[in-house]
Amino acid sequence: MSIEVVPLDAGLGAEVCGLDISKPLDRPTVAAVRTAWLEHCVLLFRQQSLNDDQLLSFTSQFGALEFPPTKLLGLKNKINQKDEVPPEINVISNVTENGVAIGQLGADECAWHTDSAFVEIPPAASLLYALEIPSHGGNTSFLNMYKAWETLDPEVQKAVEDRAVKHDFTYTSAGHRRKDYPEVSDPSKAPGPTHPIVRTHPETKRKCLYLGRRLNSYIMGLSLNESEELLDKIWLNAVRPEFMYEHVWAVGDLVMWDNRCAMHRREAFDNTQRRVMHRSQLQGDRPYQ
Ligand code: OGA
Ligand code: MN
């Protein structure tokens, strides 16, 4: 098999053309996809046709499967994920059946975030596959966190490079509180692990910012005011259009992102329309500086 990797005209990402990912890939192809993924942080495969088993088989060619965040946090699923959907699949959907959601995250905006940064060993990758999409809205954007680090004012770099950030697990990436946890009023007291704010990517060995999300973020060892001020500076530099790629979904798209060096956000969409995505995850490593 030969693949064509076409970099996107954006701050990160590439499209992989000429590959049917529903079938097992040979070893050189797996290696070529991995190389492209490490280089571009986000890979797009269009016009695929995958069932859950094929999505998981494709994913597991790149490492060990990881579970969705509900499971990582040890929470009971409040949604009604259908029995036939394997537990490694995270259904991302606004659809409800008999008043119960079939998936996570609804139709609201999801602010910039990294998946499951609020666990000790966050997933290395998420792979999101589009089964049903609304006529408009619900675009997903990605952000290059290598560039966010490299372009940061050297003074600010110095101020944060040895610091750690607290990653609150109280709220979902759609900003909704998980009912098992009390509301957080002081981010410095939020529950959750800490990770170095600058991490060395375990495969590329390049440094990137690892922010998790802005909501309830807190830089350990600073006063809340100092932390807020520094985080605002870092975020302002990070969320630059030239570091981004905005994906407009079509049914059959699979987007595979490197969760260690890319953040993502999703714009809201019309909740009267259906959006159904199935997501798989790869296990990661404990972040280190
Ligand atoms: C996710 C997520 C984005 C989307 O699956 O991790 O943030 O487009 N969803 O629904
Ligand atoms: Mn996400």
Side-chain angles (χ1 to χ4, degrees):
M1 286 179 232
S2 75
I3 62 167
E4 194 192 346
V5 178
V6 182
L8 302 171
D9 183 15
L12 72 174
E15 179 174 350
V16 178
C17 305
L19 201 56
D20 174 0
I21 63 173
S22 69
K23 303 198 176 75
L25 308 179
D26 60 26
R27 286 178 67 165
T29 305
V30 172
V33 171
R34 173 178 287 283
T35 300
W37 178 58
L38 292 174
E39 180 179 348
H40 298 285
C41 310
V42 175
L43 292 183
L44 165 62
F45 304 81
R46 292 189 202 268
Q47 292 184 307
Q48 301 297 323
S49 174
L50 301 173
N51 60 31
D52 287 333
D53 288 342
Q54 289 166 327
L55 173 56
L56 293 177
S57 298
F58 174 71
T59 306
S60 54
Q61 293 173 109
F62 301 95
L65 296 175
E66 184 55 282
F67 287 102
T70 327
K71 176 103 179 190
L72 297 180
L73 290 172
L75 303 175
K76 286 221 175 58
N77 236 335
K78 303 284 189 317
I79 64 160
N80 189 16
Q81 184 155 317
K82 298 206 174 69
D83 289 343
E84 64 266 25
V85 179
E88 294 87 356
I89 294 276
N90 193 0
V91 177
I92 306 293
S93 184
N94 64 320
V95 172
T96 58
E97 284 176 6
N98 305 317
V100 185
I102 65 158
Q104 311 280 353
L105 300 181
D108 291 344
E109 178 187 351
C110 300
W112 289 111
H113 67 278
T114 299
D115 287 335
S116 302
F118 44 75
V119 300
E120 295 285 347
I121 303 186
S126 297
L127 295 86
L128 193 58
Y129 175 64
L131 290 158
E132 295 181 56
I133 55 157
S135 58
H136 60 278
N139 295 352
T140 308
S141 295
F142 298 88
L143 181 59
N144 186 325
M145 300 309 286
Y146 292 122
K147 292 182 177 175
W149 169 247
E150 288 157 6
T151 57
L152 194 58
D153 179 335
E155 292 283 306
V156 184
Q157 281 187 335
K158 225 181 278 151
V160 296
E161 68 184 342
D162 296 324
R163 297 214 173 252
V165 162
K166 168 83 77 70
H167 297 262
D168 174 34
F169 53 59
T170 306
Y171 297 84
T172 69
S173 43
H176 302 140
R177 184 167 61 85
R178 299 180 209 275
K179 300 288 178 279
D180 309 68
Y181 305 122
E183 228 161 282
V184 172
S185 51
D186 179 351
S188 70
K189 302 203 167 57
T194 62
H195 297 302
I197 192 163
V198 188
R199 73 181 287 190
T200 304
H201 191 292
E203 295 182 79
T204 66
K205 310 295 183 204
R206 292 174 64 195
K207 285 194 185 303
C208 58
L209 273 173
Y210 192 66
L211 300 178
R213 59 175 78 161
R214 184 63 185 89
L215 178 68
N216 287 345
S217 185
Y218 168 67
I219 303 178
M220 301 295 287
L222 300 183
S223 72
L224 188 53
N225 277 346
E226 289 168 333
S227 164
E228 290 288 311
E229 209 174 291
L230 213 43
L231 284 170
D232 283 345
K233 274 189 203 158
I234 294 169
W235 276 89
L236 188 66
N237 176 70
V239 291
R240 289 200 230 168
E242 64 266 33
F243 300 165
M244 296 177 190
Y245 166 64
E246 180 172 1
H247 186 61
V248 182
W249 291 95
V251 169
D253 286 351
L254 178 121
V255 176
M256 169 180 184
W257 64 86
D258 190 331
N259 198 45
R260 301 161 291 192
C261 55
M263 299 189 95
H264 57 285
R265 71 173 287 268
R266 180 192 74 196
E267 66 176 351
F269 59 95
D270 175 0
N271 200 21
T272 65
Q273 295 197 34
R274 290 170 63 95
R275 188 176 188 268
V276 183
M277 325 279 275
H278 280 197
R279 199 184 89 183
S280 58
Q281 300 78 210
L282 283 171
Q283 281 176 24
D285 307 87
R286 182 182 297 277
Y288 63 90
Q289 191 181 335

